[in-house]
Amino acid sequence: MKDYDIVIVGGGPAGLAAAVSAKKAGCDSILILERDTELGGILNQCIHNGFGLHTFKEELTGPEYAYRFVEQVLELGIEYKLGTMVMDIAHDKTVTAMNREDGMFTIPAKAVILAMGCRERPRGALNIPGYRPAGIFSAGTAQRLVNIEGYMPGKEVVILGSGDIGLIMARRMTLEGAKVKCVAELMPYSGGLKRNIVQCLDDFGIPLKLSHTVVDIEGKEHVTAVTIAEVGPDRKPISGTEERYTCDTLLLSCGLIPENELSQAAGITMNPVTSGPVVNESLETNIPGVFACGNVLHVHDLVDYVSEEAGRAGANAARYVSCAVEQGMQGATGGGGGSAIKLVATEGARYTVPNTIRPDKMEDILTVRFRVGDVYKDSFVSVYFDDERILHNKKRILSPGEMEQIVLRKAQLAEYPDLKAITVKIEKE
């Protein structure tokens, strides 16, 4: 297998956008490795609209959005391999993969972009009591069955978890003739976008029961009923609040987990909050020349932000390769380059991406994204440069289901040459 300047692991929205950006930044030797049978990733089964409002200024379905990038990949002549599983990424950026045509093979790369996306949290991680009958699906699996394979999982449905996929599937199952009894959510707030709660539940009269969870599943061969109960502040069921719903299907929409087994095996430092890699302003991991973007880095709420972030990763990888050739593999972003400023998320802010910033390496404007850990009303997003507050933006509502962002400017950081930490926090006044 020939060498490539950039190998991209994953052909979903992040991988496609990174490839297009790297190509436009001047890198001609790019290979996308995708384990599915076609490019586009999870978007291929997301047939609802709402995509592309930021990127293309129009409303598209998931497949339409994906194909905009697939078209660019084809027009730019970027190489890709489908049905290909990446097995290992070595510290020297040698990628080991396999497929039916080539068998097991290795690809030496100058840079690697991780764009593997995320997966749903399985039932085994939820500790739901009861048997393991047929009729229990993750919301994403049900979405694929209905939208791509043409099968209906069931006719009477209960959904556990209010993630965006679960909310969208509540509407989708209803439109296909099923009766969605309720959506139960363990937390006192929804994990999905507000617009999805309105469009997918409220508009169809589907009840959302916050601070509730499934406490029993009935049926040995197939689901016949589930029981949900209210939970207290300790997240434990409250006796006497049980409600029983007859149903033949239970959909689980209880969060997404970045696909980072490859990253961990490669020795990449991980963030315990996001379950994704720790990255700097260039979206580069602790291994020089290995970049991460999209849902493998942190779970996004909008695919438009995935594409934007992946575009940065692709351009930075191309810059790294260009300087690696000139500087004997030192790279544009790896190694040296002045001191790094640490980003700290605290007092309501759960994490930030990136985790560190090297002012001399950053672009003129840097978008820092973060999520909050609870619902905050009429609060302020505050940013401190060491002990000095330099940003204090009022927000009517902050919710864990929606990403927030702040913008930092290189010129602004230049005014603080001795800056050690940038702190993001939520304040009431």
Side-chain angles (χ1 to χ4, degrees):
M1 198 64 60
K2 69 176 185 177
D3 296 7
Y4 286 88
D5 286 345
I6 299 177
V7 171
I8 300 173
V9 186
L16 294 172
V20 169
S21 179
K23 182 77 172 185
K24 290 180 177 178
C27 184
D28 292 322
S29 177
I30 303 169
L31 177 65
I32 301 171
L33 301 176
E34 169 57 47
R35 66 185 177 188
D36 208 344
T37 55
E38 54 192 284
L39 296 173
I42 196 67
L43 290 182
N44 291 326
Q45 68 186 51
C46 298
I47 65 173
H48 54 280
N49 59 7
F51 300 92
L53 292 171
H54 295 268
T55 306
F56 299 110
K57 308 304 182 205
E58 59 181 304
E59 197 170 35
L60 304 171
T61 65
E64 288 173 331
Y65 185 95
Y67 195 65
R68 293 284 178 96
F69 283 97
V70 172
E71 279 186 313
Q72 294 183 64
V73 166
L74 298 176
E75 289 170 2
L76 293 170
I78 297 171
E79 295 181 55
Y80 61 89
K81 285 182 176 292
L82 301 176
T84 301
M85 179 72 75
V86 175
M87 310 301 293
D88 181 64
I89 301 170
H91 214 275
D92 65 356
K93 296 182 285 292
T94 297
V95 178
T96 302
M98 64 182 298
N99 60 34
R100 294 181 66 177
E101 291 75 26
D102 304 305
M104 185 87 75
F105 57 91
T106 58
I107 306 170
K110 293 186 177 70
V112 175
I113 300 177
L114 306 174
M116 293 90 74
C118 59
R119 65 175 183 268
E120 293 176 282
R121 185 170 280 111
R123 179 195 168 172
L126 303 177
N127 294 322
I128 303 172
Y131 293 101
R132 292 178 174 266
I136 303 174
F137 302 88
S138 69
T141 299
Q143 186 180 54
R144 182 177 182 89
L145 287 171
V146 175
N147 293 346
I148 293 183
E149 300 182 23
Y151 296 111
M152 272 293 282
K155 295 181 179 180
E156 292 186 299
V157 185
V158 170
I159 299 176
L160 174 60
S162 60
D164 287 312
I165 305 175
L167 298 175
I168 288 163
M169 282 309 295
R171 176 179 63 183
R172 188 76 181 99
M173 296 290 281
T174 301
L175 291 173
E176 288 297 329
K179 172 64 176 175
V180 179
K181 300 291 185 73
C182 73
V183 176
E185 168 59 54
L186 177 69
M187 305 301 287
Y189 50 79
S190 170
L193 293 170
K194 178 65 176 178
R195 74 181 190 197
N196 283 335
I197 297 171
V198 173
Q199 296 173 3
C200 301
L201 299 188
D202 296 351
D203 288 356
F204 292 89
I206 300 170
L208 172 61
K209 292 183 172 290
L210 299 175
S211 297
H212 281 73
T213 192
V214 172
V215 294
D216 188 32
I217 300 172
E218 298 178 34
K220 290 188 177 181
E221 298 298 323
H222 201 284
V223 174
T224 57
V226 301
T227 300
I228 69 170
E230 187 176 351
V231 299
D234 58 358
R235 308 282 183 262
K236 293 182 179 179
I238 300 171
S239 180
T241 63
E242 293 85 359
E243 298 176 62
R244 182 177 180 272
Y245 292 88
T246 58
C247 63
D248 57 15
T249 306
L250 174 64
L251 300 188
L252 305 176
S253 180
C254 302
L256 300 168
I257 307 169
E259 290 264 20
N260 270 302
E261 285 72 20
L262 280 172
S263 311
Q264 292 172 315
I268 291 171
T269 302
M270 308 300 290
N271 184 328
V273 178
T274 63
S275 298
V278 170
V279 295
N280 60 25
E281 75 295 327
S282 301
L283 301 178
E284 183 184 31
T285 69
N286 61 300
I287 300 178
V290 178
F291 300 79
C293 58
N295 283 351
V296 81
L297 179 56
H298 61 129
V299 176
H300 293 63
D301 48 5
L302 297 179
V303 73
D304 302 76
Y305 294 153
V306 168
S307 301
E308 177 190 321
E309 186 178 270
R312 284 172 49 207
N316 288 331
R319 190 180 305 123
Y320 175 91
V321 170
S322 175
C323 288
V325 173
E326 296 173 7
Q327 302 173 13
M329 295 306 294
Q330 289 302 307
T333 60
S339 60
I341 300 168
K342 186 176 182 181
L343 278 115
V344 180
T346 185
E347 295 181 33
R350 294 188 64 233
Y351 69 86
T352 65
V353 171
N355 304 90
T356 58
I357 298 174
R358 295 165 301 175
D360 59 322
K361 300 293 186 183
M362 72 179 280
E363 298 175 357
D364 291 337
I365 296 176
L366 177 67
T367 300
V368 176
R369 295 202 165 94
F370 67 96
R371 285 187 191 267
V372 295
D374 205 341
V375 175
Y376 297 90
K377 295 182 179 179
D378 296 320
S379 298
F380 293 85
V381 174
S382 299
V383 177
Y384 287 78
F385 282 10
D386 287 335
D387 296 324
E388 180 184 348
R389 188 167 71 187
I390 56 94
L391 187 68
H392 195 54
N393 290 343
K394 186 166 186 179
K395 300 282 288 187
R396 191 180 67 82
I397 190 162
L398 294 160
S399 169
E402 308 208 17
M403 277 199 320
E404 301 293 331
Q405 65 182 41
I406 56 172
V407 174
L408 299 177
R409 301 180 185 278
K410 188 170 185 174
Q412 186 182 28
L413 294 182
E415 299 173 8
Y416 297 81
D418 299 321
L419 183 60
K420 296 291 188 292
I422 298 173
T423 303
V424 180
K425 62 175 70 172
I426 310 302
E427 296 180 320
K428 290 300 292 182
E429 56 184 34

PDB file of all heavy atoms in Angstrom, residues 94-125:
ATOM      1  N   THR A  94       1.602   5.128  11.531  1.00  0.00           N
ATOM      2  CA  THR A  94       1.341   4.046  10.582  1.00  0.00           C
ATOM      3  C   THR A  94      -0.019   3.447  10.900  1.00  0.00           C
ATOM      4  O   THR A  94      -0.285   3.030  12.028  1.00  0.00           O
ATOM      5  CB  THR A  94       2.422   2.950  10.678  1.00  0.00           C
ATOM      6  OG1 THR A  94       3.686   3.509  10.317  1.00  0.00           O
ATOM      7  CG2 THR A  94       2.112   1.794   9.739  1.00  0.00           C
ATOM      8  N   VAL A  95      -0.892   3.421   9.901  1.00  0.00           N
ATOM      9  CA  VAL A  95      -2.263   2.948  10.089  1.00  0.00           C
ATOM     10  C   VAL A  95      -2.374   1.517   9.570  1.00  0.00           C
ATOM     11  O   VAL A  95      -1.995   1.225   8.435  1.00  0.00           O
ATOM     12  CB  VAL A  95      -3.265   3.853   9.347  1.00  0.00           C
ATOM     13  CG1 VAL A  95      -4.683   3.318   9.504  1.00  0.00           C
ATOM     14  CG2 VAL A  95      -3.171   5.286   9.870  1.00  0.00           C
ATOM     15  N   THR A  96      -2.880   0.614  10.414  1.00  0.00           N
ATOM     16  CA  THR A  96      -3.125  -0.773  10.010  1.00  0.00           C
ATOM     17  C   THR A  96      -4.623  -0.952   9.812  1.00  0.00           C
ATOM     18  O   THR A  96      -5.418  -0.611  10.688  1.00  0.00           O
ATOM     19  CB  THR A  96      -2.627  -1.757  11.081  1.00  0.00           C
ATOM     20  OG1 THR A  96      -1.233  -1.545  11.301  1.00  0.00           O
ATOM     21  CG2 THR A  96      -2.851  -3.201  10.630  1.00  0.00           C
ATOM     22  N   ALA A  97      -4.996  -1.490   8.646  1.00  0.00           N
ATOM     23  CA  ALA A  97      -6.421  -1.654   8.331  1.00  0.00           C
ATOM     24  C   ALA A  97      -6.609  -2.949   7.553  1.00  0.00           C
ATOM     25  O   ALA A  97      -5.643  -3.600   7.142  1.00  0.00           O
ATOM     26  CB  ALA A  97      -6.924  -0.457   7.529  1.00  0.00           C
ATOM     27  N   MET A  98      -7.875  -3.315   7.349  1.00  0.00           N
ATOM     28  CA  MET A  98      -8.156  -4.524   6.581  1.00  0.00           C
ATOM     29  C   MET A  98      -9.493  -4.391   5.857  1.00  0.00           C
ATOM     30  O   MET A  98     -10.403  -3.701   6.310  1.00  0.00           O
ATOM     31  CB  MET A  98      -8.168  -5.758   7.486  1.00  0.00           C
ATOM     32  CG  MET A  98      -9.266  -5.769   8.541  1.00  0.00           C
ATOM     33  SD  MET A  98      -9.183  -7.211   9.615  1.00  0.00           S
ATOM     34  CE  MET A  98      -9.434  -8.536   8.444  1.00  0.00           C
ATOM     35  N   ASN A  99      -9.573  -5.045   4.711  1.00  0.00           N
ATOM     36  CA  ASN A  99     -10.834  -5.168   3.986  1.00  0.00           C
ATOM     37  C   ASN A  99     -10.796  -6.436   3.138  1.00  0.00           C
ATOM     38  O   ASN A  99      -9.792  -7.151   3.110  1.00  0.00           O
ATOM     39  CB  ASN A  99     -11.128  -3.920   3.130  1.00  0.00           C
ATOM     40  CG  ASN A  99     -10.048  -3.654   2.096  1.00  0.00           C
ATOM     41  OD1 ASN A  99      -9.443  -4.577   1.544  1.00  0.00           O
ATOM     42  ND2 ASN A  99      -9.801  -2.382   1.818  1.00  0.00           N
ATOM     43  N   ARG A 100     -11.875  -6.736   2.459  1.00  0.00           N
ATOM     44  CA  ARG A 100     -11.982  -7.998   1.719  1.00  0.00           C
ATOM     45  C   ARG A 100     -11.073  -8.011   0.498  1.00  0.00           C
ATOM     46  O   ARG A 100     -10.583  -9.076   0.102  1.00  0.00           O
ATOM     47  CB  ARG A 100     -13.428  -8.216   1.283  1.00  0.00           C
ATOM     48  CG  ARG A 100     -14.389  -8.420   2.448  1.00  0.00           C
ATOM     49  CD  ARG A 100     -15.809  -8.645   1.977  1.00  0.00           C
ATOM     50  NE  ARG A 100     -15.950  -9.887   1.239  1.00  0.00           N
ATOM     51  CZ  ARG A 100     -17.102 -10.340   0.773  1.00  0.00           C
ATOM     52  NH1 ARG A 100     -18.212  -9.647   0.962  1.00  0.00           N
ATOM     53  NH2 ARG A 100     -17.155 -11.484   0.115  1.00  0.00           N
ATOM     54  N   GLU A 101     -10.853  -6.853  -0.109  1.00  0.00           N
ATOM     55  CA  GLU A 101     -10.060  -6.818  -1.333  1.00  0.00           C
ATOM     56  C   GLU A 101      -8.559  -6.857  -1.059  1.00  0.00           C
ATOM     57  O   GLU A 101      -7.811  -7.582  -1.722  1.00  0.00           O
ATOM     58  CB  GLU A 101     -10.378  -5.548  -2.147  1.00  0.00           C
ATOM     59  CG  GLU A 101     -11.772  -5.515  -2.749  1.00  0.00           C
ATOM     60  CD  GLU A 101     -12.858  -5.226  -1.720  1.00  0.00           C
ATOM     61  OE1 GLU A 101     -12.547  -4.576  -0.699  1.00  0.00           O
ATOM     62  OE2 GLU A 101     -14.001  -5.681  -1.924  1.00  0.00           O
ATOM     63  N   ASP A 102      -8.114  -6.092  -0.073  1.00  0.00           N
ATOM     64  CA  ASP A 102      -6.674  -5.943   0.162  1.00  0.00           C
ATOM     65  C   ASP A 102      -6.158  -6.805   1.314  1.00  0.00           C
ATOM     66  O   ASP A 102      -4.954  -6.898   1.523  1.00  0.00           O
ATOM     67  CB  ASP A 102      -6.350  -4.473   0.464  1.00  0.00           C
ATOM     68  CG  ASP A 102      -6.827  -3.537  -0.629  1.00  0.00           C
ATOM     69  OD1 ASP A 102      -6.446  -3.757  -1.792  1.00  0.00           O
ATOM     70  OD2 ASP A 102      -7.587  -2.595  -0.333  1.00  0.00           O
ATOM     71  N   GLY A 103      -7.067  -7.428   2.085  1.00  0.00           N
ATOM     72  CA  GLY A 103      -6.634  -8.147   3.269  1.00  0.00           C
ATOM     73  C   GLY A 103      -6.150  -7.167   4.326  1.00  0.00           C
ATOM     74  O   GLY A 103      -6.647  -6.053   4.447  1.00  0.00           O
ATOM     75  N   MET A 104      -5.157  -7.589   5.106  1.00  0.00           N
ATOM     76  CA  MET A 104      -4.573  -6.707   6.119  1.00  0.00           C
ATOM     77  C   MET A 104      -3.451  -5.904   5.480  1.00  0.00           C
ATOM     78  O   MET A 104      -2.605  -6.464   4.776  1.00  0.00           O
ATOM     79  CB  MET A 104      -4.022  -7.549   7.282  1.00  0.00           C
ATOM     80  CG  MET A 104      -3.496  -6.726   8.433  1.00  0.00           C
ATOM     81  SD  MET A 104      -4.760  -6.276   9.637  1.00  0.00           S
ATOM     82  CE  MET A 104      -4.975  -7.837  10.491  1.00  0.00           C
ATOM     83  N   PHE A 105      -3.432  -4.588   5.719  1.00  0.00           N
ATOM     84  CA  PHE A 105      -2.396  -3.752   5.111  1.00  0.00           C
ATOM     85  C   PHE A 105      -2.055  -2.596   6.039  1.00  0.00           C
ATOM     86  O   PHE A 105      -2.812  -2.262   6.956  1.00  0.00           O
ATOM     87  CB  PHE A 105      -2.851  -3.221   3.750  1.00  0.00           C
ATOM     88  CG  PHE A 105      -4.131  -2.434   3.774  1.00  0.00           C
ATOM     89  CD1 PHE A 105      -4.129  -1.053   3.940  1.00  0.00           C
ATOM     90  CD2 PHE A 105      -5.363  -3.075   3.640  1.00  0.00           C
ATOM     91  CE1 PHE A 105      -5.303  -0.327   3.966  1.00  0.00           C
ATOM     92  CE2 PHE A 105      -6.554  -2.350   3.660  1.00  0.00           C
ATOM     93  CZ  PHE A 105      -6.522  -0.969   3.832  1.00  0.00           C
ATOM     94  N   THR A 106      -0.902  -2.004   5.808  1.00  0.00           N
ATOM     95  CA  THR A 106      -0.455  -0.852   6.592  1.00  0.00           C
ATOM     96  C   THR A 106      -0.227   0.338   5.659  1.00  0.00           C
ATOM     97  O   THR A 106       0.162   0.166   4.505  1.00  0.00           O
ATOM     98  CB  THR A 106       0.842  -1.135   7.370  1.00  0.00           C
ATOM     99  OG1 THR A 106       1.865  -1.518   6.452  1.00  0.00           O
ATOM    100  CG2 THR A 106       0.627  -2.249   8.383  1.00  0.00           C
ATOM    101  N   ILE A 107      -0.481   1.528   6.184  1.00  0.00           N
ATOM    102  CA  ILE A 107      -0.294   2.763   5.424  1.00  0.00           C
ATOM    103  C   ILE A 107       0.537   3.726   6.264  1.00  0.00           C
ATOM    104  O   ILE A 107       0.060   4.235   7.282  1.00  0.00           O
ATOM    105  CB  ILE A 107      -1.638   3.433   5.085  1.00  0.00           C
ATOM    106  CG1 ILE A 107      -2.571   2.458   4.371  1.00  0.00           C
ATOM    107  CG2 ILE A 107      -1.409   4.679   4.235  1.00  0.00           C
ATOM    108  CD1 ILE A 107      -3.980   2.981   4.216  1.00  0.00           C
ATOM    109  N   PRO A 108       1.770   4.004   5.876  1.00  0.00           N
ATOM    110  CA  PRO A 108       2.535   5.049   6.552  1.00  0.00           C
ATOM    111  C   PRO A 108       1.949   6.415   6.203  1.00  0.00           C
ATOM    112  O   PRO A 108       1.710   6.712   5.030  1.00  0.00           O
ATOM    113  CB  PRO A 108       3.950   4.901   5.974  1.00  0.00           C
ATOM    114  CG  PRO A 108       3.964   3.537   5.330  1.00  0.00           C
ATOM    115  CD  PRO A 108       2.560   3.296   4.864  1.00  0.00           C
ATOM    116  N   ALA A 109       1.674   7.228   7.205  1.00  0.00           N
ATOM    117  CA  ALA A 109       1.070   8.539   6.979  1.00  0.00           C
ATOM    118  C   ALA A 109       1.888   9.618   7.687  1.00  0.00           C
ATOM    119  O   ALA A 109       2.510   9.361   8.718  1.00  0.00           O
ATOM    120  CB  ALA A 109      -0.366   8.557   7.485  1.00  0.00           C
ATOM    121  N   LYS A 110       1.880  10.818   7.120  1.00  0.00           N
ATOM    122  CA  LYS A 110       2.539  11.948   7.775  1.00  0.00           C
ATOM    123  C   LYS A 110       1.617  12.568   8.821  1.00  0.00           C
ATOM    124  O   LYS A 110       2.078  13.157   9.798  1.00  0.00           O
ATOM    125  CB  LYS A 110       2.946  12.993   6.733  1.00  0.00           C
ATOM    126  CG  LYS A 110       4.035  12.532   5.765  1.00  0.00           C
ATOM    127  CD  LYS A 110       4.468  13.686   4.873  1.00  0.00           C
ATOM    128  CE  LYS A 110       5.606  13.257   3.948  1.00  0.00           C
ATOM    129  NZ  LYS A 110       5.155  12.322   2.914  1.00  0.00           N
ATOM    130  N   ALA A 111       0.298  12.463   8.597  1.00  0.00           N
ATOM    131  CA  ALA A 111      -0.680  12.963   9.563  1.00  0.00           C
ATOM    132  C   ALA A 111      -1.907  12.069   9.522  1.00  0.00           C
ATOM    133  O   ALA A 111      -2.222  11.467   8.491  1.00  0.00           O
ATOM    134  CB  ALA A 111      -1.069  14.406   9.259  1.00  0.00           C
ATOM    135  N   VAL A 112      -2.583  11.969  10.659  1.00  0.00           N
ATOM    136  CA  VAL A 112      -3.808  11.171  10.773  1.00  0.00           C
ATOM    137  C   VAL A 112      -4.901  12.044  11.376  1.00  0.00           C
ATOM    138  O   VAL A 112      -4.650  12.787  12.332  1.00  0.00           O
ATOM    139  CB  VAL A 112      -3.588   9.923  11.664  1.00  0.00           C
ATOM    140  CG1 VAL A 112      -4.903   9.173  11.883  1.00  0.00           C
ATOM    141  CG2 VAL A 112      -2.550   8.995  11.046  1.00  0.00           C
ATOM    142  N   ILE A 113      -6.100  11.965  10.795  1.00  0.00           N
ATOM    143  CA  ILE A 113      -7.248  12.679  11.355  1.00  0.00           C
ATOM    144  C   ILE A 113      -8.260  11.653  11.852  1.00  0.00           C
ATOM    145  O   ILE A 113      -8.735  10.810  11.088  1.00  0.00           O
ATOM    146  CB  ILE A 113      -7.908  13.603  10.313  1.00  0.00           C
ATOM    147  CG1 ILE A 113      -6.907  14.655   9.821  1.00  0.00           C
ATOM    148  CG2 ILE A 113      -9.141  14.283  10.916  1.00  0.00           C
ATOM    149  CD1 ILE A 113      -7.455  15.556   8.736  1.00  0.00           C
ATOM    150  N   LEU A 114      -8.567  11.707  13.131  1.00  0.00           N
ATOM    151  CA  LEU A 114      -9.541  10.799  13.743  1.00  0.00           C
ATOM    152  C   LEU A 114     -10.935  11.389  13.561  1.00  0.00           C
ATOM    153  O   LEU A 114     -11.213  12.501  14.022  1.00  0.00           O
ATOM    154  CB  LEU A 114      -9.234  10.625  15.224  1.00  0.00           C
ATOM    155  CG  LEU A 114      -7.814  10.182  15.580  1.00  0.00           C
ATOM    156  CD1 LEU A 114      -7.622  10.185  17.094  1.00  0.00           C
ATOM    157  CD2 LEU A 114      -7.501   8.811  15.008  1.00  0.00           C
ATOM    158  N   ALA A 115     -11.805  10.652  12.874  1.00  0.00           N
ATOM    159  CA  ALA A 115     -13.175  11.123  12.623  1.00  0.00           C
ATOM    160  C   ALA A 115     -14.131   9.939  12.684  1.00  0.00           C
ATOM    161  O   ALA A 115     -14.967   9.750  11.801  1.00  0.00           O
ATOM    162  CB  ALA A 115     -13.245  11.822  11.265  1.00  0.00           C
ATOM    163  N   MET A 116     -14.008   9.139  13.749  1.00  0.00           N
ATOM    164  CA  MET A 116     -14.758   7.877  13.839  1.00  0.00           C
ATOM    165  C   MET A 116     -16.183   8.055  14.348  1.00  0.00           C
ATOM    166  O   MET A 116     -16.953   7.093  14.376  1.00  0.00           O
ATOM    167  CB  MET A 116     -14.027   6.893  14.756  1.00  0.00           C
ATOM    168  CG  MET A 116     -12.683   6.404  14.219  1.00  0.00           C
ATOM    169  SD  MET A 116     -11.296   7.445  14.724  1.00  0.00           S
ATOM    170  CE  MET A 116     -11.081   7.017  16.442  1.00  0.00           C
ATOM    171  N   GLY A 117     -16.537   9.260  14.789  1.00  0.00           N
ATOM    172  CA  GLY A 117     -17.898   9.483  15.253  1.00  0.00           C
ATOM    173  C   GLY A 117     -18.151   8.914  16.640  1.00  0.00           C
ATOM    174  O   GLY A 117     -17.237   8.780  17.452  1.00  0.00           O
ATOM    175  N   CYS A 118     -19.402   8.560  16.913  1.00  0.00           N
ATOM    176  CA  CYS A 118     -19.773   8.067  18.235  1.00  0.00           C
ATOM    177  C   CYS A 118     -20.785   6.941  18.104  1.00  0.00           C
ATOM    178  O   CYS A 118     -21.290   6.660  17.024  1.00  0.00           O
ATOM    179  CB  CYS A 118     -20.352   9.203  19.095  1.00  0.00           C
ATOM    180  SG  CYS A 118     -21.817   9.970  18.372  1.00  0.00           S
ATOM    181  N   ARG A 119     -21.060   6.287  19.227  1.00  0.00           N
ATOM    182  CA  ARG A 119     -22.043   5.196  19.261  1.00  0.00           C
ATOM    183  C   ARG A 119     -22.997   5.430  20.424  1.00  0.00           C
ATOM    184  O   ARG A 119     -22.730   6.243  21.315  1.00  0.00           O
ATOM    185  CB  ARG A 119     -21.351   3.844  19.407  1.00  0.00           C
ATOM    186  CG  ARG A 119     -20.620   3.656  20.732  1.00  0.00           C
ATOM    187  CD  ARG A 119     -20.069   2.246  20.863  1.00  0.00           C
ATOM    188  NE  ARG A 119     -19.425   2.027  22.153  1.00  0.00           N
ATOM    189  CZ  ARG A 119     -18.137   2.215  22.403  1.00  0.00           C
ATOM    190  NH1 ARG A 119     -17.342   2.645  21.437  1.00  0.00           N
ATOM    191  NH2 ARG A 119     -17.628   1.988  23.593  1.00  0.00           N
ATOM    192  N   GLU A 120     -24.094   4.701  20.408  1.00  0.00           N
ATOM    193  CA  GLU A 120     -25.079   4.856  21.476  1.00  0.00           C
ATOM    194  C   GLU A 120     -24.692   4.032  22.710  1.00  0.00           C
ATOM    195  O   GLU A 120     -24.077   2.980  22.596  1.00  0.00           O
ATOM    196  CB  GLU A 120     -26.450   4.408  20.973  1.00  0.00           C
ATOM    197  CG  GLU A 120     -27.001   5.307  19.890  1.00  0.00           C
ATOM    198  CD  GLU A 120     -28.310   4.782  19.341  1.00  0.00           C
ATOM    199  OE1 GLU A 120     -28.270   3.849  18.530  1.00  0.00           O
ATOM    200  OE2 GLU A 120     -29.363   5.307  19.732  1.00  0.00           O
ATOM    201  N   ARG A 121     -25.094   4.539  23.860  1.00  0.00           N
ATOM    202  CA  ARG A 121     -24.861   3.800  25.111  1.00  0.00           C
ATOM    203  C   ARG A 121     -25.787   2.590  25.131  1.00  0.00           C
ATOM    204  O   ARG A 121     -27.001   2.715  24.964  1.00  0.00           O
ATOM    205  CB  ARG A 121     -25.131   4.710  26.308  1.00  0.00           C
ATOM    206  CG  ARG A 121     -24.802   4.072  27.642  1.00  0.00           C
ATOM    207  CD  ARG A 121     -24.853   5.087  28.774  1.00  0.00           C
ATOM    208  NE  ARG A 121     -23.629   5.882  28.830  1.00  0.00           N
ATOM    209  CZ  ARG A 121     -23.540   7.174  28.535  1.00  0.00           C
ATOM    210  NH1 ARG A 121     -24.611   7.825  28.140  1.00  0.00           N
ATOM    211  NH2 ARG A 121     -22.394   7.807  28.629  1.00  0.00           N
ATOM    212  N   PRO A 122     -25.254   1.372  25.320  1.00  0.00           N
ATOM    213  CA  PRO A 122     -26.081   0.164  25.230  1.00  0.00           C
ATOM    214  C   PRO A 122     -26.882  -0.093  26.503  1.00  0.00           C
ATOM    215  O   PRO A 122     -26.633   0.518  27.552  1.00  0.00           O
ATOM    216  CB  PRO A 122     -25.047  -0.940  25.013  1.00  0.00           C
ATOM    217  CG  PRO A 122     -23.830  -0.447  25.737  1.00  0.00           C
ATOM    218  CD  PRO A 122     -23.831   1.047  25.551  1.00  0.00           C
ATOM    219  N   ARG A 123     -27.822  -1.045  26.393  1.00  0.00           N
ATOM    220  CA  ARG A 123     -28.655  -1.378  27.559  1.00  0.00           C
ATOM    221  C   ARG A 123     -27.805  -1.879  28.724  1.00  0.00           C
ATOM    222  O   ARG A 123     -28.098  -1.594  29.880  1.00  0.00           O
ATOM    223  CB  ARG A 123     -29.679  -2.451  27.177  1.00  0.00           C
ATOM    224  CG  ARG A 123     -30.541  -2.838  28.393  1.00  0.00           C
ATOM    225  CD  ARG A 123     -31.317  -4.103  28.230  1.00  0.00           C
ATOM    226  NE  ARG A 123     -31.868  -4.507  29.528  1.00  0.00           N
ATOM    227  CZ  ARG A 123     -32.715  -5.489  29.705  1.00  0.00           C
ATOM    228  NH1 ARG A 123     -33.127  -6.179  28.667  1.00  0.00           N
ATOM    229  NH2 ARG A 123     -33.163  -5.794  30.899  1.00  0.00           N
ATOM    230  N   GLY A 124     -26.756  -2.616  28.424  1.00  0.00           N
ATOM    231  CA  GLY A 124     -25.929  -3.190  29.481  1.00  0.00           C
ATOM    232  C   GLY A 124     -25.325  -2.143  30.403  1.00  0.00           C
ATOM    233  O   GLY A 124     -24.989  -2.439  31.548  1.00  0.00           O
ATOM    234  N   ALA A 125     -25.190  -0.900  29.889  1.00  0.00           N
ATOM    235  CA  ALA A 125     -24.621   0.165  30.710  1.00  0.00           C
ATOM    236  C   ALA A 125     -25.669   0.878  31.551  1.00  0.00           C
ATOM    237  O   ALA A 125     -25.342   1.767  32.337  1.00  0.00           O
ATOM    238  CB  ALA A 125     -23.915   1.181  29.808  1.00  0.00           C
TER     239      ALA A 125
END
